[in-house]
Amino acid sequence: MSTQTVHLALRRLSFTFAGDGSHAACLAAGADGGWYAESWRLPAEGPAVPTALPSEEGLRAQLLALPDGRVLVCRHDGDRHALVLLAAGEPEVPLAAVRTAGLRMLAVPGGAAAGPGAPVAVLLGTDTRPVTTVWLLAADGSAPREVAQLPGLHGGGVWLDVAGRLLALDRVVGGMVKTVVLDLELGTATPLLELGESSNDRLVLFDPATGFGMLRSDAPGVDRLGWALIGGGEPVRFPDCLHQPGRLLRPVASAPGLLPGAEPQVVLQVDHGAASALVLWRAGEKQVRPLPVPPGRLGAVGHWSAAGLRMPYSAPDRPAALATLDVAALLDAPDLETGSAPAGWRLDGSTVPGDGGRWLSARCLELPGPAGPVESVVYGGDGWLSAPHLVLALHGGPADAWRLEFDPALQRMAADGLAVLAPNQRGSTGYGPEYAMAIRGAWGGPDLEDVLALLADVAGRRAAAGLEPPALFGVSYGAFLALLAAAHAPAGSVSRCAVVAPFLSGGRLLAEASAPVRALTTRLGGDRELWDARGPRDVLRVADRLRAPLLVVHGDRDEVVPVGQSRSLRHELLRLGRVEGVDFRYVEATGAGHEVLAEEGAAAVHELLAGFLRTGRPT
């Protein structure tokens, strides 16, 4: 594909930063889907500048930003992993192909700046054995050089020096995780963190200049963040201010330029619910300091230098881009006013609408549920409940959640005048383990009860105002849940229902899906069928109750939920006497996979969904 203008990118994922902070890279896609690599130049002064690279990528592609602006890409095709080098205005350069079950890349400090034959990446490969093979990859086209075969599976990856010799990895052996140090010159690994005989201990951040490290461990009894001077004789400390039950704290970056003996400072991302926040913590202090950033979602990765802290950021009315933060200025900034950006905050590269207008915003609201409040992302302003058309949107997963970030599909609905209520019902992530585990072994149980309660409340209030009932929309697991909700809701409480890539039940998915999907389904509890007063959670068995106009969309190459699930639903509806084109519409997206809302041709699917949810006409 030809080089694309940066102003078309509506989605950006998988940001990485070069070790020196001079460049970043990400996957990007425009309004019509189709993913490509993007390189960002990060000058010491002035805005970050993105450039689209001439490539066609899949959502699973891995990217590494190199200090010279080039981007290393790993493309996965089964057990074959192709490594190529991309640069603006130049054809891609194939480097190597590695055959192994799984492959992951880590950038080497310095990388390309060290010379043409110097390694730019560490490759970690796994196969059917409990062994991790380690290679070093140069950018000169030479074959990857194997340096070690380590017993056990290894994840993580934190550099302990600036020369790129000592790499901390998380070794998984016997169900436990321990951090080891891999010496890339010797090809040997030695223990680094072993706080307890049966504890899981992982290094998550390290500053080679000071020896300051942060780790995550359950040695205190629960999973907590701690810190230590690695290699020193002092014990690991677990500050209470870094333990916030129900919230996930993730170290992003430590302050640059600190001398040995200086007080380390770390910016941490705090995730709770749909939004995220930032705090600054100084080692030894008993509290964290909030950094006032605009509401939205941050990317949990970043680079902190004299130019500022750079991090990915998105909000419902801000497509993902790079934010630059002046941490000192943010600490002194007053509380944010609605819609304002604080001094010390700048967002670069966020795409504006092509018509010169503005994207529509959304906010978080808590609505009453049968077991407590249910946080929801809501489009439609203060009058969302009284909008002519309202959509109750259900996320996929189930181990997922709606976030306070830009979503092209929801944005398209809002632009068509639809109010959107996107709840994070029980089973959603971001609200603590108990909330997420509520549906383990009970798919369509507590989450369905939450959805039905919200549906009854909203439909009742809209009926009292003379408005039509809400519509239902869902993707993947959310599509399964939407179909169950449409079947179990009282007559007249659902105006229409649109689903994308639905499955029919956990058992039916297990019977058709690939081995990795079957393993994931079992791990998430979908192998256990729930059968209670509502009957089985099987869409085919309750298809006769689906009376609202229905739209079903499925990619015919869906690698996660086989298209046979939707074909079976279509056949059952026809058997029941429903008329295709009148009672329901069935659309197979040719060549599309599971991410039909984000792949090439996505804009047409967004338009189809928005039109159906507004009018209910299946044709």
Side-chain angles (χ1 to χ4, degrees), residues 308-454:
L309 172 62
R310 287 188 163 113
M311 292 186 66
Y313 169 83
S314 177
D317 57 350
R318 295 288 187 274
L322 275 181
T324 300
L325 290 71
D326 182 330
V327 174
L330 286 171
L331 285 174
D332 295 333
D335 292 338
L336 278 178
E337 297 180 4
T338 302
S340 65
W345 169 274
R346 188 185 72 235
L347 186 64
D348 299 324
S350 186
T351 303
V352 298
D355 60 5
R358 302 181 64 180
W359 301 113
L360 298 173
S361 63
R363 56 178 175 153
C364 290
L365 292 178
E366 284 193 344
L367 300 176
V374 176
E375 187 181 42
S376 305
V377 176
V378 180
Y379 292 78
D382 293 336
W384 65 272
L385 187 59
S386 58
H389 308 289
L390 173 64
V391 177
L392 184 62
L394 305 178
H395 65 75
D400 203 349
W402 293 113
R403 308 298 185 193
L404 196 64
E405 63 189 5
F406 189 85
D407 186 296
L410 299 188
Q411 186 68 221
R412 182 68 176 81
M413 294 176 195
D416 261 25
L418 298 163
V420 179
L421 173 65
N424 285 333
Q425 64 278 349
R426 278 176 287 175
S428 303
T429 56
Y431 301 87
E434 183 177 351
Y435 197 86
M437 294 286 287
I439 64 168
R440 187 65 56 89
W443 285 14
D447 50 356
L448 179 61
E449 297 306 317
D450 285 353
V451 170
L452 290 174
L454 290 172

Side-chain angles (χ1 to χ4, degrees), residues 92-269:
E92 68 178 47
V93 178
L95 294 182
V98 177
R99 285 197 175 274
T100 186
L103 191 72
R104 197 162 62 91
M105 302 191 302
L106 297 171
V108 173
V120 295
V122 173
L123 308 179
L124 302 174
T126 56
D127 53 28
T128 56
R129 306 168 299 158
V131 172
T132 300
T133 304
V134 184
W135 297 271
L136 286 174
L137 177 72
D140 59 359
S142 59
R145 178 167 61 90
E146 183 178 320
V147 295
Q149 286 202 8
L150 307 176
L153 302 178
H154 291 73
V158 177
W159 289 101
L160 302 182
D161 62 352
V162 296
R165 174 176 175 174
L166 301 178
L167 177 62
L169 295 171
D170 299 332
R171 173 182 288 172
V172 183
V173 176
M176 291 187 298
V177 182
K178 301 286 188 182
T179 296
V180 299
V181 179
L182 170 62
D183 186 320
L184 289 165
E185 286 192 10
L186 301 179
T188 58
T190 54
L192 178 67
L193 292 178
E194 291 190 1
L195 302 191
E197 187 175 334
S198 58
S199 62
N200 295 284
D201 313 310
R202 293 166 288 153
L203 186 69
V204 294
L205 180 144
F206 184 73
D207 180 12
T210 61
F212 171 81
M214 295 195 72
L215 56 102
R216 190 177 295 278
S217 173
D218 57 10
V222 295
D223 192 59
R224 295 184 60 161
L225 278 176
W227 72 278
L229 294 178
I230 304 299
E234 298 183 3
V236 176
R237 298 173 175 84
F238 293 93
D240 288 340
C241 62
L242 300 183
H243 179 56
Q244 301 181 15
R247 288 172 165 79
L248 176 61
L249 275 68
R250 292 185 279 183
V252 174
S254 58
L258 294 181
L259 299 175
E263 183 180 65
Q265 303 179 62
V266 179
V267 168
L268 300 100
Q269 179 169 319

Side-chain angles (χ1 to χ4, degrees), residues 580-608:
E580 188 167 1
V582 177
D583 300 310
F584 74 95
R585 182 179 179 187
Y586 177 76
V587 177
E588 275 191 21
T590 304
H594 191 62
E595 300 292 339
V596 65
L597 295 180
E599 298 176 4
E600 190 170 355
V605 181
H606 295 168
E607 183 177 359
L608 172 67

Side-chain angles (χ1 to χ4, degrees), residues 244-301:
Q244 301 181 15
R247 288 172 165 79
L248 176 61
L249 275 68
R250 292 185 279 183
V252 174
S254 58
L258 294 181
L259 299 175
E263 183 180 65
Q265 303 179 62
V266 179
V267 168
L268 300 100
Q269 179 169 319
V270 183
D271 293 333
H272 177 68
S276 54
L278 292 178
V279 297
L280 177 72
W281 174 71
R282 292 189 173 99
E285 290 193 351
K286 296 182 179 181
Q287 60 183 8
V288 295
R289 305 183 185 190
L291 298 177
V293 298
R297 195 77 185 179
L298 293 147
V301 296

Side-chain angles (χ1 to χ4, degrees), residues 372-557:
V374 176
E375 187 181 42
S376 305
V377 176
V378 180
Y379 292 78
D382 293 336
W384 65 272
L385 187 59
S386 58
H389 308 289
L390 173 64
V391 177
L392 184 62
L394 305 178
H395 65 75
D400 203 349
W402 293 113
R403 308 298 185 193
L404 196 64
E405 63 189 5
F406 189 85
D407 186 296
L410 299 188
Q411 186 68 221
R412 182 68 176 81
M413 294 176 195
D416 261 25
L418 298 163
V420 179
L421 173 65
N424 285 333
Q425 64 278 349
R426 278 176 287 175
S428 303
T429 56
Y431 301 87
E434 183 177 351
Y435 197 86
M437 294 286 287
I439 64 168
R440 187 65 56 89
W443 285 14
D447 50 356
L448 179 61
E449 297 306 317
D450 285 353
V451 170
L452 290 174
L454 290 172
L455 190 61
D457 176 54
V458 170
R461 288 196 278 171
R462 288 177 63 82
L467 297 168
E468 72 170 17
L472 282 168
F473 164 69
V475 180
S476 191
Y477 183 91
F480 161 71
L481 199 57
L483 290 168
L484 289 179
H488 287 283
S493 58
V494 175
S495 61
R496 55 200 70 99
C497 179
V499 293
V500 178
F503 62 86
L504 304 174
S505 71
R508 294 183 190 274
L509 180 60
L510 283 170
E512 284 193 51
S514 64
V517 175
R518 292 198 304 271
L520 178 62
T521 300
T522 301
R523 190 164 69 248
L524 295 177
D527 58 330
R528 285 165 275 174
E529 185 176 11
L530 177 65
W531 195 318
D532 55 15
R534 292 195 182 277
R537 302 311 198 269
D538 186 326
V539 174
L540 282 193
R541 297 187 189 182
V542 295
D544 60 312
R545 304 183 201 173
L546 295 173
R547 293 293 179 181
L550 176 64
L551 170 64
V552 181
V553 179
H554 212 130
D556 67 354
R557 295 185 181 179

